[in-house]
Amino acid sequence: MLVAMGAVASATGTSVVARGPAAIPGGAPTTASVDSVLRFYAVWWAAQGPRAWRLARDPALDADELRSVCATTVIGGVARLVAVQASGRPHPLFSALTALELTLPPVLLALRRRLPGLSGRRTGNGLSPLRGFLR
C-alpha cells in the first residue's frame, strides 16, 4: 500500500508541477495566483512519494514515520471534504481518492500493530510533530 501511495503521489504531483491545472481531470484555466499555489503544493505532494517508499523499505516500519504519513494523508482527505462543502462534488476520480485517503491510513496503522515483534514498538526518534496522532 505504501509503494502504491508513493507512486500516485509522485506521479500526480510531478504532473501538476509540469502541466498545472491541465493535469487535473476536469481542470480548467485559472488565475496566475491559483496556478502558482497549485504547483507549489504539488511539489509537496510529489515529495510524499519518496517518503512513503522509504517507509515501505523499512523492515521495522517506523511507527512515528508511519503515523506521520498516515496523518498527512487523512488530513488531506478531510481537506477534500471541506472543498466538497465549499465548491460541490469534484470529478469522480477525486471522490474515489478521498475515500482512499480516509480509509487506507487507518488500515495501514492497524496492520502495523499486528506485525509480529513490532506491536507497540517505537522506532523513531520520538520528535515527530504528529506523535500520538491516530494511536
Side-chain angles (χ1 to χ4, degrees), residues 25-129:
T30 187
T31 66
S33 294
V34 171
D35 189 9
S36 174
V37 169
L38 176 67
R39 291 178 199 242
F40 175 82
Y41 291 149
V43 170
W44 286 88
W45 176 235
Q48 184 86 331
R51 187 173 172 212
W53 293 330
R54 266 191 319 275
L55 184 57
R57 289 191 315 260
D58 177 4
L61 200 56
D62 185 294
D64 287 340
E65 187 68 14
L66 182 62
R67 274 192 292 277
S68 178
V69 166
C70 287
T72 303
T73 304
V74 167
I75 292 167
V78 170
R80 288 188 196 266
L81 293 176
V82 172
V84 169
Q85 289 295 317
S87 304
R89 287 193 173 275
H91 186 279
L93 170 66
F94 299 114
S95 294
L97 289 173
T98 302
L100 290 173
E101 290 158 357
L102 295 172
T103 58
L104 284 182
V107 169
L108 280 171
L109 292 170
L111 289 173
R112 191 214 178 266
R113 282 191 293 272
R114 295 180 68 164
L115 287 174
L118 293 182
S119 181
R121 184 169 138 199
R122 297 179 61 88
T123 55
N125 62 14
L127 300 177
S128 171

